[in-house]
Amino acid sequence: MPIVEALGPSPRRSLPPVPASGRSAAARRLGVLPMPSLQWNEQVARETAHLYERIKAVVPAVEWPFFAPYVKAINELKRERNAAILAHNYQTPEIYNCVADVVGDSLQLAREATKADADVIVQCGVHFMAETAKILNPDKVVLIPDVKAGCSLAEAITADDVRLLRARFPGVPVVTYVNTSAEVKAESDICCTSSNAVEVVESLGAERVIFLPDEYLAKYVASQTDVKIIAWKGHCEVHERFTGDELRGYRETDPGLMIIAHPECPPDVLAEADFTGSTAKMIDWVRERRPKRVVMVTECSMADNVQAELPDVDFVKPCNLCPHMKRITLPKILDSLVYLKEEVTVDPAIAAKARRAVERMVHLKC
């Protein structure tokens, strides 16, 4: 089904404000901890050797003496704080493989956030993911190591925009991608991720839906369903940079190369792909198919994480980095656990409305 209409975003929004200096409410309540030693020595080498084994295929040995003291300190502080670290698939290998308790795409992290048996959740991703974790865990401390880790999609639309769309298309349900602010989720009927977008749209039983804010994901969904889609012209700044010409160039030099792409990519990119799916589905595809050579058309740290698990697969890496995901580092994660910063809060009234949309997605059987 073609896109019925695509509406444009207002000028890009600013990122969430940086909190005023001083301790967070959680730090005032629970206290700060002493900063642990970050020296590299034989004991640290022994205690972290098993973790380096996980990433030695993608992290040079010369870099491990810098990472290892942070990895050791973070894993010890997690136990002391009763904290859980949730890491998105776009995090770097030393975070994803060595300190994270839960890894996955946005849908997996949203579901696992509700199961976390922890007092503190550290979200190693971007701000909307931390907000989602807080919405689903209102009584827990939720931290993001860098509050400036934003998202071009979340910045592309506001709650006011959603209200105007509802006025223009009365009675049409609103499906909102999780890559949005809590305020936008609060104005929505249900959320979705790239893993379940088609199923969510079809679950509503409606002839038309408003799908926000990713135009390219909306076009992909429209190609997979008979539901008429009203889209919004928001884009992911990582995925929109890929081109079909770029991928055709890869095929010309290596005809046996397999190409798998994220549905946030432009349509000409998806047309060149052998498989299109969410980050979780892309990982599963590589695990099951074990291609000799593959291009994962998404944020390039994910290829490093999969190659760490599957060193026999040769990954060609068209490296588009997410500048927001890369704001999350081991030193910042350590600071989060020591000082309980940066604490994420959501207005209770907004959180209550947003929770309905998020939980409706989380509990959808798909």
Side-chain angles (χ1 to χ4, degrees):
M1 177 67 66
I3 294 285
V4 176
E5 189 166 358
L7 299 147
S10 304
R12 180 166 290 185
R13 273 60 178 184
S14 59
L15 294 174
V18 179
S21 59
R23 293 185 178 183
S24 67
R28 292 194 298 271
R29 188 171 71 254
L30 302 175
V32 301
L33 298 174
M35 179 62 70
S37 169
L38 296 173
Q39 289 185 338
W40 166 254
N41 52 42
E42 290 185 6
Q43 180 181 353
V44 173
R46 286 194 305 272
E47 293 182 7
T48 61
H50 66 292
L51 295 172
Y52 182 64
E53 282 295 310
R54 299 178 184 177
I55 60 172
K56 67 180 182 180
V58 293
V59 173
V62 70
E63 295 181 10
W64 188 241
F66 172 77
F67 293 142
Y70 284 97
V71 167
K72 179 177 183 294
I74 288 167
N75 285 327
E76 290 174 351
L77 284 173
K78 282 194 306 182
R79 292 189 289 272
E80 189 167 354
R81 287 288 195 196
N82 189 27
I85 293 179
L86 279 55
H88 190 267
N89 291 325
Y90 295 161
Q91 290 298 298
T92 51
E94 69 278 4
I95 295 173
Y96 182 93
N97 294 279
C98 299
V99 300
D101 299 290
V102 176
V103 297
D105 65 6
S106 298
L107 179 59
Q108 291 169 310
L109 296 183
R111 284 176 170 159
E112 292 301 321
T114 65
K115 305 174 187 176
D117 184 18
D119 298 319
V120 177
I121 295 173
V122 182
Q123 177 59 257
C124 293
V126 292
H127 195 269
F128 77 79
M129 296 178 183
E131 274 193 334
T132 302
K134 183 63 178 179
I135 289 166
L136 294 172
N137 295 274
D139 298 325
K140 293 183 179 180
V141 175
V142 175
L143 308 172
I144 185 165
D146 191 324
V147 76
K148 292 182 180 179
C151 172
S152 59
L153 284 168
E155 295 166 36
I157 193 164
T158 68
D160 284 340
D161 294 326
V162 183
R163 287 189 283 269
L164 287 171
L165 285 167
R166 284 196 182 276
R168 181 168 178 177
F169 302 101
V172 178
V174 176
V175 177
T176 298
Y177 199 21
V178 291
N179 299 44
T180 50
S181 68
E183 290 83 359
V184 167
K185 290 181 176 71
E187 297 298 326
S188 308
D189 294 293
I190 187 171
C191 290
C192 76
T193 72
S194 54
S195 287
N196 64 8
V198 175
E199 292 83 358
V200 166
V201 165
E202 293 186 339
S203 75
L204 297 172
E207 180 181 342
R208 293 189 301 169
V209 303
I210 298 167
F211 189 96
L212 310 170
D214 191 309
E215 179 185 18
Y216 295 145
L217 179 59
K219 288 182 176 181
Y220 173 74
V221 171
S223 74
Q224 304 295 307
T225 182
D226 292 330
V227 179
K228 296 175 183 178
I229 303 294
I230 299 165
W232 186 258
K233 292 184 179 179
H235 300 130
C236 167
E237 63 188 287
V238 173
H239 293 103
E240 71 177 345
R241 297 203 300 268
F242 293 105
T243 67
D245 285 343
E246 177 184 5
L247 300 188
R248 284 188 289 273
Y250 286 119
R251 285 204 194 276
E252 289 173 4
T253 59
D254 188 351
L257 184 69
M258 303 301 291
I259 296 176
I260 61 177
H262 194 281
E264 288 178 15
C265 294
D268 66 322
V269 171
L270 302 188
E272 295 296 324
D274 298 295
F275 174 77
T276 297
S278 67
T279 58
K281 290 179 180 178
M282 293 168 78
I283 293 171
D284 288 342
W285 188 94
V286 176
R287 284 172 177 159
E288 293 168 6
R289 299 293 186 94
R290 298 293 178 100
K292 184 177 179 182
R293 285 169 61 77
V294 64
V295 174
M296 299 183 85
V297 188
T298 188
E299 214 275 356
C300 60
S301 285
M302 193 169 91
D304 287 335
N305 290 325
V306 182
Q307 188 163 41
E309 177 187 343
L310 305 172
D312 55 313
V313 177
D314 185 10
F315 288 85
V316 177
K317 299 174 185 176
C319 198
N320 286 346
L321 289 168
C322 174
H324 306 292
M325 287 284 183
K326 294 303 172 282
R327 297 189 75 93
I328 309 301
T329 63
L330 289 175
K332 290 178 182 178
I333 296 170
L334 180 63
D335 279 355
S336 278
L337 289 167
V338 169
Y339 302 110
L340 293 176
K341 61 182 242 188
E342 306 284 347
E343 187 173 5
V344 175
T345 59
V346 180
D347 180 276
I350 292 171
K353 293 177 66 179
R355 190 174 301 117
R356 289 194 292 269
V358 176
E359 288 183 340
R360 192 174 179 187
M361 172 194 72
V362 168
H363 298 309
L364 188 68
K365 301 299 182 183
C366 61

